[in-house]
mmCIF file of all heavy atoms in Angstrom:
data_model
loop_
_atom_site.group_PDB
_atom_site.id
_atom_site.type_symbol
_atom_site.label_atom_id
_atom_site.label_comp_id
_atom_site.label_asym_id
_atom_site.label_seq_id
_atom_site.Cartn_x
_atom_site.Cartn_y
_atom_site.Cartn_z
ATOM 1 N N ALA A 210 -107.723 -13.109 -9.787
ATOM 2 C CA ALA A 210 -109.158 -12.854 -9.875
ATOM 3 C C ALA A 210 -109.449 -12.082 -11.151
ATOM 4 O O ALA A 210 -108.871 -11.019 -11.383
ATOM 5 C CB ALA A 210 -109.636 -12.061 -8.661
ATOM 6 N N PHE A 211 -110.357 -12.598 -11.975
ATOM 7 C CA PHE A 211 -110.739 -11.880 -13.186
ATOM 8 C C PHE A 211 -111.317 -10.508 -12.850
ATOM 9 O O PHE A 211 -111.153 -9.555 -13.616
ATOM 10 C CB PHE A 211 -111.756 -12.690 -13.989
ATOM 11 C CG PHE A 211 -111.132 -13.683 -14.921
ATOM 12 C CD1 PHE A 211 -111.006 -15.016 -14.547
ATOM 13 C CD2 PHE A 211 -110.665 -13.305 -16.166
ATOM 14 C CE1 PHE A 211 -110.431 -15.943 -15.401
ATOM 15 C CE2 PHE A 211 -110.087 -14.215 -17.035
ATOM 16 C CZ PHE A 211 -109.971 -15.548 -16.648
ATOM 17 N N ARG A 212 -111.983 -10.397 -11.709
ATOM 18 C CA ARG A 212 -112.607 -9.122 -11.376
ATOM 19 C C ARG A 212 -111.574 -8.025 -11.147
ATOM 20 O O ARG A 212 -111.901 -6.835 -11.192
ATOM 21 C CB ARG A 212 -113.491 -9.266 -10.137
ATOM 22 C CG ARG A 212 -112.732 -9.548 -8.863
ATOM 23 C CD ARG A 212 -113.640 -9.473 -7.667
ATOM 24 N NE ARG A 212 -114.766 -10.389 -7.808
ATOM 25 C CZ ARG A 212 -115.583 -10.705 -6.817
ATOM 26 N NH1 ARG A 212 -115.384 -10.186 -5.621
ATOM 27 N NH2 ARG A 212 -116.584 -11.521 -7.005
ATOM 28 N N HIS A 213 -110.328 -8.406 -10.893
ATOM 29 C CA HIS A 213 -109.277 -7.418 -10.682
ATOM 30 C C HIS A 213 -108.357 -7.291 -11.894
ATOM 31 O O HIS A 213 -107.305 -6.665 -11.806
ATOM 32 C CB HIS A 213 -108.460 -7.782 -9.442
ATOM 33 C CG HIS A 213 -109.274 -7.795 -8.183
ATOM 34 N ND1 HIS A 213 -110.124 -6.775 -7.833
ATOM 35 C CD2 HIS A 213 -109.376 -8.733 -7.202
ATOM 36 C CE1 HIS A 213 -110.714 -7.068 -6.686
ATOM 37 N NE2 HIS A 213 -110.289 -8.240 -6.278
ATOM 38 N N GLY A 214 -108.733 -7.879 -13.004
ATOM 39 C CA GLY A 214 -107.986 -7.691 -14.239
ATOM 40 C C GLY A 214 -106.994 -8.805 -14.523
ATOM 41 O O GLY A 214 -106.532 -9.514 -13.623
ATOM 42 N N LEU A 215 -106.656 -8.950 -15.799
ATOM 43 C CA LEU A 215 -105.688 -9.954 -16.219
ATOM 44 C C LEU A 215 -104.281 -9.557 -15.771
ATOM 45 O O LEU A 215 -103.935 -8.375 -15.798
ATOM 46 C CB LEU A 215 -105.705 -10.113 -17.740
ATOM 47 C CG LEU A 215 -106.974 -10.686 -18.371
ATOM 48 C CD1 LEU A 215 -106.864 -10.622 -19.893
ATOM 49 C CD2 LEU A 215 -107.211 -12.109 -17.918
ATOM 50 N N PRO A 216 -103.454 -10.520 -15.365
ATOM 51 C CA PRO A 216 -102.061 -10.208 -15.025
ATOM 52 C C PRO A 216 -101.282 -9.858 -16.281
ATOM 53 O O PRO A 216 -101.220 -10.637 -17.229
ATOM 54 C CB PRO A 216 -101.534 -11.500 -14.388
ATOM 55 C CG PRO A 216 -102.642 -12.488 -14.415
ATOM 56 C CD PRO A 216 -103.767 -11.927 -15.187
ATOM 57 N N ARG A 217 -100.674 -8.693 -16.302
ATOM 58 C CA ARG A 217 -99.993 -8.222 -17.503
ATOM 59 C C ARG A 217 -98.729 -9.018 -17.790
ATOM 60 O O ARG A 217 -98.240 -9.017 -18.923
ATOM 61 C CB ARG A 217 -99.677 -6.735 -17.371
ATOM 62 C CG ARG A 217 -100.935 -5.873 -17.294
ATOM 63 C CD ARG A 217 -100.633 -4.420 -17.533
ATOM 64 N NE ARG A 217 -99.842 -3.839 -16.456
ATOM 65 C CZ ARG A 217 -99.404 -2.587 -16.460
ATOM 66 N NH1 ARG A 217 -99.657 -1.807 -17.492
ATOM 67 N NH2 ARG A 217 -98.708 -2.118 -15.441
ATOM 68 N N GLU A 218 -98.165 -9.690 -16.769
ATOM 69 C CA GLU A 218 -96.943 -10.448 -16.994
ATOM 70 C C GLU A 218 -97.193 -11.866 -17.481
ATOM 71 O O GLU A 218 -96.251 -12.616 -17.752
ATOM 72 C CB GLU A 218 -96.113 -10.495 -15.708
ATOM 73 C CG GLU A 218 -96.751 -11.270 -14.569
ATOM 74 C CD GLU A 218 -97.560 -10.400 -13.642
ATOM 75 O OE1 GLU A 218 -98.267 -9.494 -14.141
ATOM 76 O OE2 GLU A 218 -97.485 -10.621 -12.411
ATOM 77 N N ALA A 219 -98.472 -12.270 -17.609
ATOM 78 C CA ALA A 219 -98.794 -13.654 -17.947
ATOM 79 C C ALA A 219 -98.434 -13.987 -19.389
ATOM 80 O O ALA A 219 -98.702 -13.207 -20.306
ATOM 81 C CB ALA A 219 -100.272 -13.914 -17.710
ATOM 82 N N ASP A 220 -97.820 -15.155 -19.585
ATOM 83 C CA ASP A 220 -97.576 -15.682 -20.932
ATOM 84 C C ASP A 220 -98.729 -16.577 -21.387
ATOM 85 O O ASP A 220 -98.965 -16.739 -22.581
ATOM 86 C CB ASP A 220 -96.279 -16.504 -20.943
ATOM 87 C CG ASP A 220 -95.066 -15.675 -20.596
ATOM 88 O OD1 ASP A 220 -94.684 -14.819 -21.414
ATOM 89 O OD2 ASP A 220 -94.504 -15.854 -19.497
ATOM 90 N N MET A 221 -99.442 -17.183 -20.439
ATOM 91 C CA MET A 221 -100.554 -18.072 -20.736
ATOM 92 C C MET A 221 -101.626 -17.854 -19.678
ATOM 93 O O MET A 221 -101.338 -17.834 -18.485
ATOM 94 C CB MET A 221 -100.073 -19.531 -20.719
ATOM 95 C CG MET A 221 -101.144 -20.560 -21.025
ATOM 96 S SD MET A 221 -100.499 -22.263 -20.880
ATOM 97 C CE MET A 221 -99.226 -22.239 -22.151
ATOM 98 N N VAL A 222 -102.874 -17.659 -20.107
ATOM 99 C CA VAL A 222 -103.987 -17.421 -19.178
ATOM 100 C C VAL A 222 -104.995 -18.559 -19.311
ATOM 101 O O VAL A 222 -105.393 -18.929 -20.423
ATOM 102 C CB VAL A 222 -104.670 -16.069 -19.455
ATOM 103 C CG1 VAL A 222 -105.890 -15.892 -18.556
ATOM 104 C CG2 VAL A 222 -103.690 -14.920 -19.245
ATOM 105 N N VAL A 223 -105.397 -19.122 -18.164
ATOM 106 C CA VAL A 223 -106.339 -20.231 -18.121
ATOM 107 C C VAL A 223 -107.532 -19.826 -17.261
ATOM 108 O O VAL A 223 -107.363 -19.298 -16.157
ATOM 109 C CB VAL A 223 -105.679 -21.503 -17.536
ATOM 110 C CG1 VAL A 223 -106.677 -22.654 -17.501
ATOM 111 C CG2 VAL A 223 -104.443 -21.882 -18.343
ATOM 112 N N ASP A 224 -108.750 -20.080 -17.753
ATOM 113 C CA ASP A 224 -109.976 -19.686 -17.061
ATOM 114 C C ASP A 224 -110.553 -20.896 -16.320
ATOM 115 O O ASP A 224 -110.945 -21.886 -16.941
ATOM 116 C CB ASP A 224 -110.978 -19.154 -18.087
ATOM 117 C CG ASP A 224 -112.204 -18.510 -17.451
ATOM 118 O OD1 ASP A 224 -112.448 -18.756 -16.252
ATOM 119 O OD2 ASP A 224 -112.913 -17.767 -18.158
ATOM 120 N N ALA A 225 -110.604 -20.818 -14.982
ATOM 121 C CA ALA A 225 -111.130 -21.927 -14.169
ATOM 122 C C ALA A 225 -112.522 -21.632 -13.628
ATOM 123 O O ALA A 225 -113.000 -22.330 -12.723
ATOM 124 C CB ALA A 225 -110.168 -22.220 -13.013
ATOM 125 N N ARG A 226 -113.214 -20.655 -14.190
ATOM 126 C CA ARG A 226 -114.508 -20.251 -13.641
ATOM 127 C C ARG A 226 -115.617 -21.257 -13.919
ATOM 128 O O ARG A 226 -116.701 -21.150 -13.349
ATOM 129 C CB ARG A 226 -114.897 -18.871 -14.182
ATOM 130 C CG ARG A 226 -114.082 -17.745 -13.591
ATOM 131 C CD ARG A 226 -114.417 -16.401 -14.206
ATOM 132 N NE ARG A 226 -113.998 -16.322 -15.597
ATOM 133 C CZ ARG A 226 -114.075 -15.231 -16.347
ATOM 134 N NH1 ARG A 226 -114.572 -14.114 -15.823
ATOM 135 N NH2 ARG A 226 -113.662 -15.237 -17.603
ATOM 136 N N PHE A 227 -115.379 -22.246 -14.781
ATOM 137 C CA PHE A 227 -116.398 -23.246 -15.064
ATOM 138 C C PHE A 227 -116.489 -24.300 -13.967
ATOM 139 O O PHE A 227 -117.465 -25.055 -13.889
ATOM 140 C CB PHE A 227 -116.096 -23.942 -16.406
ATOM 141 C CG PHE A 227 -114.882 -24.815 -16.359
ATOM 142 C CD1 PHE A 227 -114.989 -26.159 -16.047
ATOM 143 C CD2 PHE A 227 -113.624 -24.288 -16.598
ATOM 144 C CE1 PHE A 227 -113.859 -26.966 -15.989
ATOM 145 C CE2 PHE A 227 -112.493 -25.073 -16.540
ATOM 146 C CZ PHE A 227 -112.615 -26.417 -16.238
ATOM 147 N N LEU A 228 -115.496 -24.395 -13.101
ATOM 148 C CA LEU A 228 -115.462 -25.423 -12.065
ATOM 149 C C LEU A 228 -116.481 -25.126 -10.963
ATOM 150 O O LEU A 228 -116.863 -23.977 -10.740
ATOM 151 C CB LEU A 228 -114.060 -25.509 -11.457
ATOM 152 C CG LEU A 228 -112.948 -26.015 -12.385
ATOM 153 C CD1 LEU A 228 -111.581 -25.831 -11.720
ATOM 154 C CD2 LEU A 228 -113.179 -27.479 -12.762
ATOM 155 N N SER A 229 -116.883 -26.187 -10.258
ATOM 156 C CA SER A 229 -117.807 -26.047 -9.132
ATOM 157 C C SER A 229 -117.239 -25.071 -8.110
ATOM 158 O O SER A 229 -116.077 -25.181 -7.712
ATOM 159 C CB SER A 229 -118.032 -27.413 -8.492
ATOM 160 O OG SER A 229 -118.875 -27.313 -7.369
ATOM 161 N N ASN A 230 -118.077 -24.116 -7.680
ATOM 162 C CA ASN A 230 -117.586 -23.009 -6.871
ATOM 163 C C ASN A 230 -117.843 -23.232 -5.374
ATOM 164 O O ASN A 230 -118.995 -23.261 -4.928
ATOM 165 C CB ASN A 230 -118.277 -21.711 -7.305
ATOM 166 C CG ASN A 230 -117.571 -20.482 -6.797
ATOM 167 O OD1 ASN A 230 -116.774 -20.546 -5.868
ATOM 168 N ND2 ASN A 230 -117.862 -19.347 -7.411
ATOM 169 N N PRO A 231 -116.787 -23.364 -4.575
ATOM 170 C CA PRO A 231 -116.959 -23.544 -3.123
ATOM 171 C C PRO A 231 -117.601 -22.361 -2.429
ATOM 172 O O PRO A 231 -118.025 -22.481 -1.279
ATOM 173 C CB PRO A 231 -115.517 -23.760 -2.626
ATOM 174 C CG PRO A 231 -114.747 -24.195 -3.831
ATOM 175 C CD PRO A 231 -115.380 -23.472 -4.981
ATOM 176 N N HIS A 232 -117.671 -21.228 -3.090
ATOM 177 C CA HIS A 232 -118.253 -20.038 -2.460
ATOM 178 C C HIS A 232 -119.674 -20.289 -1.984
ATOM 179 O O HIS A 232 -120.116 -19.707 -0.986
ATOM 180 C CB HIS A 232 -118.244 -18.869 -3.451
ATOM 181 C CG HIS A 232 -119.038 -17.686 -2.990
ATOM 182 N ND1 HIS A 232 -118.571 -16.784 -2.055
ATOM 183 C CD2 HIS A 232 -120.302 -17.270 -3.304
ATOM 184 C CE1 HIS A 232 -119.494 -15.856 -1.828
ATOM 185 N NE2 HIS A 232 -120.543 -16.132 -2.577
ATOM 186 N N TYR A 233 -120.405 -21.149 -2.689
ATOM 187 C CA TYR A 233 -121.809 -21.352 -2.360
ATOM 188 C C TYR A 233 -122.017 -22.331 -1.213
ATOM 189 O O TYR A 233 -123.162 -22.573 -0.823
ATOM 190 C CB TYR A 233 -122.567 -21.804 -3.611
ATOM 191 C CG TYR A 233 -122.573 -20.723 -4.663
ATOM 192 C CD1 TYR A 233 -121.776 -20.828 -5.798
ATOM 193 C CD2 TYR A 233 -123.339 -19.578 -4.506
ATOM 194 C CE1 TYR A 233 -121.759 -19.805 -6.747
ATOM 195 C CE2 TYR A 233 -123.335 -18.566 -5.446
ATOM 196 C CZ TYR A 233 -122.543 -18.689 -6.563
ATOM 197 O OH TYR A 233 -122.518 -17.689 -7.492
ATOM 198 N N ASP A 234 -120.946 -22.893 -0.680
ATOM 199 C CA ASP A 234 -121.022 -23.717 0.517
ATOM 200 C C ASP A 234 -120.616 -22.828 1.697
ATOM 201 O O ASP A 234 -119.467 -22.394 1.788
ATOM 202 C CB ASP A 234 -120.072 -24.915 0.402
ATOM 203 C CG ASP A 234 -120.185 -25.875 1.576
ATOM 204 O OD1 ASP A 234 -120.466 -25.409 2.704
ATOM 205 O OD2 ASP A 234 -119.974 -27.082 1.375
ATOM 206 N N PRO A 235 -121.537 -22.540 2.618
ATOM 207 C CA PRO A 235 -121.217 -21.609 3.711
ATOM 208 C C PRO A 235 -120.065 -22.078 4.591
ATOM 209 O O PRO A 235 -119.398 -21.251 5.224
ATOM 210 C CB PRO A 235 -122.522 -21.519 4.507
ATOM 211 C CG PRO A 235 -123.312 -22.723 4.103
ATOM 212 C CD PRO A 235 -122.922 -23.027 2.690
ATOM 213 N N VAL A 236 -119.817 -23.383 4.625
ATOM 214 C CA VAL A 236 -118.693 -23.890 5.409
ATOM 215 C C VAL A 236 -117.373 -23.606 4.715
ATOM 216 O O VAL A 236 -116.358 -23.282 5.350
ATOM 217 C CB VAL A 236 -118.851 -25.406 5.673
ATOM 218 C CG1 VAL A 236 -117.621 -25.965 6.399
ATOM 219 C CG2 VAL A 236 -120.110 -25.679 6.479
ATOM 220 N N LEU A 237 -117.364 -23.702 3.385
ATOM 221 C CA LEU A 237 -116.133 -23.535 2.606
ATOM 222 C C LEU A 237 -115.854 -22.073 2.247
ATOM 223 O O LEU A 237 -114.718 -21.728 1.941
ATOM 224 C CB LEU A 237 -116.206 -24.357 1.320
ATOM 225 C CG LEU A 237 -116.386 -25.865 1.488
ATOM 226 C CD1 LEU A 237 -116.473 -26.532 0.125
ATOM 227 C CD2 LEU A 237 -115.256 -26.466 2.308
ATOM 228 N N ARG A 238 -116.871 -21.250 2.278
ATOM 229 C CA ARG A 238 -116.733 -19.863 1.809
ATOM 230 C C ARG A 238 -115.568 -19.124 2.485
ATOM 231 O O ARG A 238 -114.794 -18.446 1.800
ATOM 232 C CB ARG A 238 -118.036 -19.105 2.014
ATOM 233 C CG ARG A 238 -118.028 -17.689 1.434
ATOM 234 C CD ARG A 238 -119.377 -17.045 1.626
ATOM 235 N NE ARG A 238 -120.431 -17.840 1.009
ATOM 236 C CZ ARG A 238 -121.739 -17.639 1.231
ATOM 237 N NH1 ARG A 238 -122.128 -16.674 2.040
ATOM 238 N NH2 ARG A 238 -122.624 -18.406 0.637
ATOM 239 N N PRO A 239 -115.385 -19.228 3.804
ATOM 240 C CA PRO A 239 -114.279 -18.469 4.422
ATOM 241 C C PRO A 239 -112.909 -19.104 4.220
ATOM 242 O O PRO A 239 -111.901 -18.492 4.561
ATOM 243 C CB PRO A 239 -114.655 -18.465 5.913
ATOM 244 C CG PRO A 239 -115.481 -19.699 6.095
ATOM 245 C CD PRO A 239 -116.248 -19.861 4.818
ATOM 246 N N LEU A 240 -112.857 -20.329 3.656
ATOM 247 C CA LEU A 240 -111.586 -21.004 3.431
ATOM 248 C C LEU A 240 -110.998 -20.568 2.093
ATOM 249 O O LEU A 240 -111.571 -19.754 1.370
ATOM 250 C CB LEU A 240 -111.781 -22.519 3.467
ATOM 251 C CG LEU A 240 -112.409 -23.085 4.740
ATOM 252 C CD1 LEU A 240 -112.555 -24.605 4.623
ATOM 253 C CD2 LEU A 240 -111.588 -22.718 5.964
ATOM 254 N N THR A 241 -109.856 -21.121 1.735
ATOM 255 C CA THR A 241 -109.204 -20.807 0.462
ATOM 256 C C THR A 241 -108.801 -22.100 -0.242
ATOM 257 O O THR A 241 -108.922 -23.196 0.328
ATOM 258 C CB THR A 241 -107.946 -19.947 0.657
ATOM 259 O OG1 THR A 241 -106.879 -20.780 1.160
ATOM 260 C CG2 THR A 241 -108.199 -18.803 1.634
ATOM 261 N N GLY A 242 -108.287 -21.942 -1.448
ATOM 262 C CA GLY A 242 -107.823 -23.103 -2.205
ATOM 263 C C GLY A 242 -106.612 -23.776 -1.602
ATOM 264 O O GLY A 242 -106.187 -24.832 -2.086
ATOM 265 N N LEU A 243 -106.034 -23.205 -0.559
ATOM 266 C CA LEU A 243 -104.929 -23.841 0.150
ATOM 267 C C LEU A 243 -105.425 -24.804 1.232
ATOM 268 O O LEU A 243 -104.622 -25.496 1.851
ATOM 269 C CB LEU A 243 -104.018 -22.779 0.781
ATOM 270 C CG LEU A 243 -103.357 -21.802 -0.185
ATOM 271 C CD1 LEU A 243 -102.571 -20.742 0.579
ATOM 272 C CD2 LEU A 243 -102.456 -22.531 -1.164
ATOM 273 N N ASP A 244 -106.744 -24.828 1.465
ATOM 274 C CA ASP A 244 -107.323 -25.710 2.470
ATOM 275 C C ASP A 244 -107.813 -26.996 1.828
ATOM 276 O O ASP A 244 -108.440 -26.985 0.756
ATOM 277 C CB ASP A 244 -108.490 -25.011 3.182
ATOM 278 C CG ASP A 244 -108.021 -23.820 4.008
ATOM 279 O OD1 ASP A 244 -107.200 -24.029 4.914
ATOM 280 O OD2 ASP A 244 -108.461 -22.681 3.737
ATOM 281 N N GLY A 245 -107.568 -28.130 2.502
ATOM 282 C CA GLY A 245 -107.909 -29.432 1.948
ATOM 283 C C GLY A 245 -109.382 -29.606 1.646
ATOM 284 O O GLY A 245 -109.750 -30.240 0.648
ATOM 285 N N ALA A 246 -110.260 -29.054 2.490
ATOM 286 C CA ALA A 246 -111.696 -29.217 2.282
ATOM 287 C C ALA A 246 -112.148 -28.564 0.975
ATOM 288 O O ALA A 246 -113.025 -29.080 0.275
ATOM 289 C CB ALA A 246 -112.464 -28.629 3.467
ATOM 290 N N VAL A 247 -111.540 -27.428 0.634
ATOM 291 C CA VAL A 247 -111.865 -26.761 -0.630
ATOM 292 C C VAL A 247 -111.407 -27.621 -1.808
ATOM 293 O O VAL A 247 -112.122 -27.784 -2.803
ATOM 294 C CB VAL A 247 -111.221 -25.365 -0.682
ATOM 295 C CG1 VAL A 247 -111.363 -24.754 -2.075
ATOM 296 C CG2 VAL A 247 -111.856 -24.456 0.352
ATOM 297 N N GLY A 248 -110.200 -28.196 -1.691
ATOM 298 C CA GLY A 248 -109.710 -29.068 -2.753
ATOM 299 C C GLY A 248 -110.597 -30.276 -2.965
ATOM 300 O O GLY A 248 -110.873 -30.671 -4.103
ATOM 301 N N THR A 249 -111.071 -30.868 -1.870
ATOM 302 C CA THR A 249 -111.969 -32.021 -1.965
ATOM 303 C C THR A 249 -113.244 -31.649 -2.713
ATOM 304 O O THR A 249 -113.731 -32.405 -3.563
ATOM 305 C CB THR A 249 -112.313 -32.548 -0.560
ATOM 306 O OG1 THR A 249 -111.115 -32.963 0.092
ATOM 307 C CG2 THR A 249 -113.275 -33.716 -0.647
ATOM 308 N N HIS A 250 -113.786 -30.469 -2.416
ATOM 309 C CA HIS A 250 -114.993 -30.015 -3.099
ATOM 310 C C HIS A 250 -114.739 -29.826 -4.594
ATOM 311 O O HIS A 250 -115.536 -30.287 -5.431
ATOM 312 C CB HIS A 250 -115.459 -28.695 -2.477
ATOM 313 C CG HIS A 250 -116.618 -28.075 -3.193
ATOM 314 N ND1 HIS A 250 -117.927 -28.277 -2.828
ATOM 315 C CD2 HIS A 250 -116.662 -27.241 -4.282
ATOM 316 C CE1 HIS A 250 -118.732 -27.618 -3.651
ATOM 317 N NE2 HIS A 250 -117.981 -26.966 -4.531
ATOM 318 N N ILE A 251 -113.657 -29.162 -4.951
ATOM 319 C CA ILE A 251 -113.381 -28.882 -6.361
ATOM 320 C C ILE A 251 -113.152 -30.173 -7.128
ATOM 321 O O ILE A 251 -113.570 -30.316 -8.283
ATOM 322 C CB ILE A 251 -112.176 -27.934 -6.483
ATOM 323 C CG1 ILE A 251 -112.540 -26.552 -5.910
ATOM 324 C CG2 ILE A 251 -111.722 -27.799 -7.935
ATOM 325 C CD1 ILE A 251 -111.371 -25.587 -5.850
ATOM 326 N N GLU A 252 -112.518 -31.146 -6.479
ATOM 327 C CA GLU A 252 -112.233 -32.407 -7.168
ATOM 328 C C GLU A 252 -113.479 -33.249 -7.403
ATOM 329 O O GLU A 252 -113.436 -34.218 -8.169
ATOM 330 C CB GLU A 252 -111.194 -33.206 -6.383
ATOM 331 C CG GLU A 252 -109.816 -32.571 -6.432
ATOM 332 C CD GLU A 252 -108.729 -33.484 -5.887
ATOM 333 O OE1 GLU A 252 -109.029 -34.652 -5.616
ATOM 334 O OE2 GLU A 252 -107.584 -33.014 -5.749
ATOM 335 N N THR A 253 -114.608 -32.898 -6.771
ATOM 336 C CA THR A 253 -115.855 -33.594 -7.066
ATOM 337 C C THR A 253 -116.453 -33.145 -8.391
ATOM 338 O O THR A 253 -117.353 -33.808 -8.918
ATOM 339 C CB THR A 253 -116.887 -33.361 -5.948
ATOM 340 O OG1 THR A 253 -117.202 -31.963 -5.866
ATOM 341 C CG2 THR A 253 -116.367 -33.855 -4.606
ATOM 342 N N ASP A 254 -115.963 -32.045 -8.921
ATOM 343 C CA ASP A 254 -116.433 -31.604 -10.241
ATOM 344 C C ASP A 254 -116.011 -32.659 -11.270
ATOM 345 O O ASP A 254 -114.821 -32.994 -11.371
ATOM 346 C CB ASP A 254 -115.807 -30.249 -10.595
ATOM 347 C CG ASP A 254 -116.412 -29.643 -11.849
ATOM 348 O OD1 ASP A 254 -116.346 -30.295 -12.911
ATOM 349 O OD2 ASP A 254 -116.932 -28.522 -11.771
ATOM 350 N N PRO A 255 -116.950 -33.199 -12.048
ATOM 351 C CA PRO A 255 -116.602 -34.291 -12.971
ATOM 352 C C PRO A 255 -115.599 -33.923 -14.044
ATOM 353 O O PRO A 255 -114.977 -34.805 -14.641
ATOM 354 C CB PRO A 255 -117.960 -34.664 -13.589
ATOM 355 C CG PRO A 255 -118.824 -33.443 -13.414
ATOM 356 C CD PRO A 255 -118.378 -32.839 -12.117
#
Side-chain angles (χ1 to χ4, degrees):
F211 274 97
R212 67 172 56 168
H213 298 312
L215 294 174
R217 296 195 292 177
E218 66 267 40
D220 298 291
M221 180 184 298
V222 175
V223 180
D224 189 343
R226 287 176 292 185
F227 69 92
L228 293 171
S229 178
N230 196 342
H232 170 78
Y233 295 106
D234 185 327
V236 175
L237 300 179
R238 185 177 303 167
L240 304 179
T241 75
L243 299 176
D244 294 300
V247 171
T249 299
H250 174 94
I251 293 174
E252 290 191 8
T253 62
D254 189 301

